[in-house]
Each structure stands twice: as structure tokens, then as C-alpha cells.
Amino acid sequence: SSSAASDVYKRQDRCNMIKKYINIAEICLEYHNFNSAFEIIAGLNMSSISRLKKSWASLGSIAKAQFDKLCKLTSSNSNFRYYRIMLRQASSPVLPYLGLILKDLTSIYENNPDLTEDGLVNFDKLHLIGSQIRLIRKHQSVPYKIVSNFQLQEFLKSKAVVYSEDELYNTSLLVEPR
């Protein structure tokens, strides 16, 4: 997410960079790459980016509507309801949002005892953990058919300057003072 936010500040035309990332997030959703879509939207929602009123005002109604739709789909409201529906309907290959998988596994682990009141192994807990692992394995069963592009990889690595949240926010104050 910081990578998307950092890229916005590397360009003079921040509005077009925001539009580009909105389009990339939509493409990620088309390819069922939910993790990348979530990270891009999180980057655009960082305070250092969302406070750029002039850049966002220049977006235009279509890009704003796209962004609002993406925010709704990646919203944590109702325990990520819209995302969970999309995930169930998605055909493989799929890259699920890893942050939510880890959250679910942590919740299952911490909120369910290892043993029942009778001192027996809590198989309900193990079943819930197993369900999450089956979900991950299901999505790993069909790989993406992407041709590796070494030159593109090297280009992306060379441009991989990611600013900290403090650096991003301080830069945002220089770009658009309060």
C-alpha cells in the first residue's frame, strides 16, 4: 500500500497516477488478485494521499465512481461482506486477501479453546482452522498463466523507492498545505 502512495508522489501529475492505480486495482479484481487490489486501495486511502483535495477533485466523476466502488468492495464493514461474496463467486486462479485470512486464523485460534470443557481436543476449532487451510489450498490449485518478463521485473525493482508514512504525510503537506 505504501508503494502505491509513494508512486503518487513521484509524479507531478498526481491525479493521473491516482487514476492509473484505480484502473490497476480494477484489473486486479478482474484477475481475482484480491490481495493486490486491497493493497492499492489501502495505499490510496492513506491519509497522505486522501488529503490531496486538489488531486482528488481533478479525477472526474467516472474515476471517483470507480474508486467508490472499489472502496465498497474492499470495505471491512460487516466483516468484509462484499469481499467474501466476491471470493466465493470467483473462479480459480485466485489470490485472496492474505490480511483477512491471517485475521480469520488468528481469531479462530484465540477465540476457541484447545480443549473442550470435558478436557478433550476441541475438534470444532481444528475443523475451523482446516476450513481456512482448505480455502488457501483451493486457491493455490490453479496457477496464473503469466509469462515472466525479466526486463519488467528489473524495471520495477529499480523504481521500488517506498516512503514511510511520516515521509508521505510530510510530502503531502508540502504539496497541499493545510
Side-chain angles (χ1 to χ4, degrees):
S1 58
S2 292
S3 179
S6 296
D7 278 352
V8 169
Y9 282 108
K10 291 178 193 172
R11 307 288 191 281
Q12 288 297 319
D13 189 4
R14 282 174 286 284
C15 176
N16 279 337
M17 202 61 190
I18 291 170
K19 283 182 188 177
K20 183 178 277 192
Y21 270 104
I22 291 170
N23 289 330
I24 291 170
E26 284 202 328
I27 292 168
C28 288
L29 287 179
E30 288 173 21
Y31 283 92
H32 304 140
N33 181 345
F34 298 113
N35 196 70
S36 294
F38 267 78
E39 292 298 327
I40 290 168
I41 298 307
L44 295 177
N45 275 319
M46 290 177 80
S47 61
S48 57
I49 301 298
S50 64
R51 69 172 300 282
L52 298 174
K53 303 296 182 212
K54 292 176 188 172
S55 297
W56 287 98
S58 302
L59 273 185
S61 59
I62 293 173
K64 284 180 188 174
Q66 287 174 304
F67 183 69
D68 290 342
K69 177 185 161 205
L70 289 166
C71 286
K72 181 179 179 182
L73 294 173
T74 58
S75 170
S76 63
N77 291 344
S78 300
N79 198 18
F80 294 90
R81 179 176 183 263
Y82 292 111
Y83 163 69
R84 290 181 192 275
I85 291 169
M86 282 190 319
L87 184 61
R88 275 196 302 274
Q89 295 172 348
S91 57
S92 292
V94 174
L95 181 57
Y97 176 46
L98 302 177
L100 185 58
I101 290 173
L102 294 174
K103 176 187 162 290
D104 288 347
L105 281 169
T106 301
S107 177
I108 290 167
Y109 182 79
E110 290 181 352
N111 296 322
N112 295 283
D114 292 336
L115 303 174
T116 64
E117 292 176 5
D118 301 333
L120 302 173
V121 173
N122 185 352
F123 283 103
D124 289 336
K125 177 179 181 175
L126 296 176
H127 176 73
L128 291 170
I129 292 171
S131 295
Q132 289 296 310
I133 293 170
R134 274 191 298 283
L135 177 71
I136 295 166
R137 293 196 63 196
K138 172 188 164 198
H139 295 311
Q140 289 180 338
S141 66
V142 178
Y144 282 97
K145 293 180 178 149
I146 299 173
V147 178
S148 182
N149 184 328
F150 181 75
Q151 289 175 324
L152 178 61
Q153 291 172 12
E154 290 303 311
F155 172 77
L156 291 173
K157 286 178 189 175
S158 71
K159 302 295 180 186
V161 176
V162 178
Y163 302 113
S164 71
E165 284 190 46
D166 288 339
E167 290 172 314
L168 287 168
Y169 194 78
N170 290 334
T171 304
S172 79
L173 292 173
L174 293 172
V175 171
E176 285 187 27
R178 290 183 187 174

